Amino acid sequence: MSALRLNRVATMPGAIRGARTYSLVLDGPTLFVLEVGPAMGPRARVGGIAQWLADKMIARIQKRTDAKVEVGIADLNVRGVEAVAKEKGSYRFAPDEVTRCEMGTNGYGHPALKLKTHARSFAFVSPPDGESDLRRFGDAVRAWSGV
């Protein structure tokens, strides 16, 4: 099986950890969850001039966040999966470590790939146009792990 890779999936912020962007790689006997940078959490809609001002500020923050993710993906392309997997925030799993993998919704109501392992649980969301890719990756992980 050739490696299957899905870039720019994110986890939403929690009580302790901020939103993060990941690349998911399914390569032979290993599933890699590789942190490539920060992510933006969901935005509240308030309307009016306050919304206009917030949108202007958030657009600037989003641009900086996207640039950091691009650097992280470029680093992954140059250094490779194995090297990035050793860094803080990145994980590697064998098939028997995956206990659940299913599509559902996260705490914000967005479609999410819910991945549970013995070590950690994730709820990955994709950009709005990437939900079908997220579903296909989830199907591949389920077939690979047997869950």
Side-chain angles (χ1 to χ4, degrees), residues 43 52 65 67 85 90 94 136 139-140 145:
R43 296 185 353 209
W52 177 82
T65 298
S90 293
R136 276 194 293 278
D139 291 344
S145 66

Side-chain angles (χ1 to χ4, degrees), residues 11 22 33 89 91 93 113-117 120-124:
T11 56
Y22 293 90
V33 177
Y91 305 88
F93 302 107
L113 175 63
K114 294 184 174 188
L115 177 69
K116 184 168 177 51
T117 68
R120 176 130 190 226
S121 295
F122 302 91
F124 297 110

Side-chain angles (χ1 to χ4, degrees), residues 18-73:
R20 306 304 298 165
T21 300
Y22 293 90
S23 284
L24 305 178
V25 180
L26 186 57
D27 190 9
T30 310
L31 170 63
F32 296 94
V33 177
L34 307 168
E35 186 176 310
V36 293
M40 297 284 290
R43 296 185 353 209
R45 305 301 296 174
V46 293
I49 191 77
Q51 187 66 53
W52 177 82
L53 186 57
D55 286 345
K56 291 279 189 193
M57 293 183 339
I58 290 171
R60 291 180 63 209
I61 295 168
Q62 183 70 55
K63 194 173 185 178
R64 285 194 305 264
T65 298
D66 289 345
K68 289 177 183 177
V69 170
E70 285 299 321
V71 168
I73 291 173

Side-chain angles (χ1 to χ4, degrees), residues 6 103-104 111 113 130-140 142:
L6 185 59
M103 285 300 292
L113 175 63
E131 183 180 344
S132 62
D133 293 334
L134 194 62
R135 284 185 187 281
R136 276 194 293 278
F137 195 89
D139 291 344
R142 278 190 293 282

Side-chain angles (χ1 to χ4, degrees), residues 4 16 29 101 134 138 140 147:
L4 180 62
I16 297 173
C101 180
L134 194 62
V147 295

